[in-house]
Amino acid sequence: MTEAITYAYAVARDPGGSLEEALSGLPGVADAPVHLVRVEHSGDVVVAVSPVPERDFREAALRAHLEDLDWLESVARAHHRVIEALAALTAVLPLRLATVYLDDERVRLMLRARHEAFAGRLTDLAAQVEWGVKIYVEAPAAIESPEGPPTNAGLSPGRAYLSRRRAQQHAREDAYRDAEQAAERVEAAARAYAVDRVQHRPQQGELARGPGENVINDAYLVPLQHAEDFRAAVMQAAEGRPGVRVEVTGPWAPYSFATLTEAEPLKRATP
């Protein structure tokens, strides 16, 4: 029989004691059923968890799995599915992907030790959602490559090549300048509705989706009542910049603002 450990998704409020029923039938990581861990005198603060195979989440195995994009995507989708189900019903503090404990009792110890901090942050984030705002620089396709026929038949091949390179450089400089101006306009529009912002590192490689170079990767915390106004204002602020693409995603649970939830799992007790 495969030994199981406990996977923790999020800390949440369960004011009416109805979350357990709402989560019934929802598959978590490894298709395991999700349940809630609570402690005495913790009020309505709970942790959503499920059992997962120990062999897949021990330190060495987990390091290897993190190089397997298919496995990682499967875990991330299940993790996100549980958090979004919670966020549709209550205030939630998402935990980091692949946060595991030896068992439910270790989760109870963590919750008991950090209950006051969790309760305060849940109050802060109640009725707030996260929007992601990414800005991409897209160089004009016509000059993206210095190869091709000379733009001026009177130039030698070498001079024509250098001419195309200069045109390419000027276009990129214009695109970055437009991106900087777009970023200023977007930030001003976002701050009219957002109560907080987190600036993430621009995405590269496998994480960067679509054409162009990601130069801005921000998350904004927005009151739920202003969510759609926020999106519309940001998109309008980005208009009129042909070399710049702005991507707005959300609304999400406040992943980027749940800083108090990043507790390290407890280690195995010595007999």
Side-chain angles (χ1 to χ4, degrees), residues 40-212:
E40 69 283 357
H41 312 304
S42 68
D44 56 6
V45 179
V46 297
V47 185
V49 304
S50 68
V52 292
E54 180 182 22
R55 65 172 182 268
D56 289 332
F57 287 88
R58 277 302 183 187
E59 186 175 354
L62 186 56
R63 280 201 303 269
H65 278 313
L66 292 179
E67 301 297 324
D68 182 344
L69 293 182
D70 290 337
W71 184 91
L72 188 60
E73 181 180 7
S74 175
V75 171
R77 286 183 180 278
H79 183 88
H80 179 69
R81 181 170 60 240
V82 173
I83 290 172
E84 289 302 300
L86 291 167
L89 301 169
T90 187
V92 60
L93 300 179
L95 288 160
R96 285 187 174 185
L97 188 71
T99 296
V100 293
Y101 293 82
L102 291 175
D103 50 37
D104 286 8
E105 184 57 31
R106 305 307 170 95
V107 178
R108 290 189 184 92
L109 291 174
M110 180 275 291
L111 179 56
R112 188 176 293 117
R114 310 197 71 198
H115 167 262
E116 186 175 346
F118 287 148
R121 193 60 179 150
L122 284 166
T123 297
D124 293 340
L125 295 179
Q128 313 268 6
V129 293
E130 176 175 329
W131 285 94
V133 177
K134 296 182 177 66
I135 298 180
Y136 296 84
V137 173
E138 297 180 322
I143 59 168
E144 183 65 31
S145 172
E147 304 300 331
T151 57
N152 187 329
L155 296 180
S156 67
R159 292 182 63 190
Y161 174 86
L162 293 175
S163 177
R164 289 194 298 271
R165 291 290 290 183
R166 281 195 298 270
Q168 181 189 42
Q169 182 63 31
H170 291 160
R172 288 184 62 82
E173 289 173 355
D174 289 345
Y176 280 105
R177 185 163 50 250
D178 285 346
E180 184 176 359
Q181 293 173 356
E184 292 173 355
R185 292 172 57 183
V186 164
E187 181 180 348
R191 286 191 177 277
Y193 298 99
V195 297
D196 201 358
R197 177 178 71 154
V198 171
Q199 295 176 285
H200 296 297
R201 295 177 60 183
Q203 294 182 332
Q204 298 177 337
E206 292 283 346
L207 296 177
R209 298 180 179 180

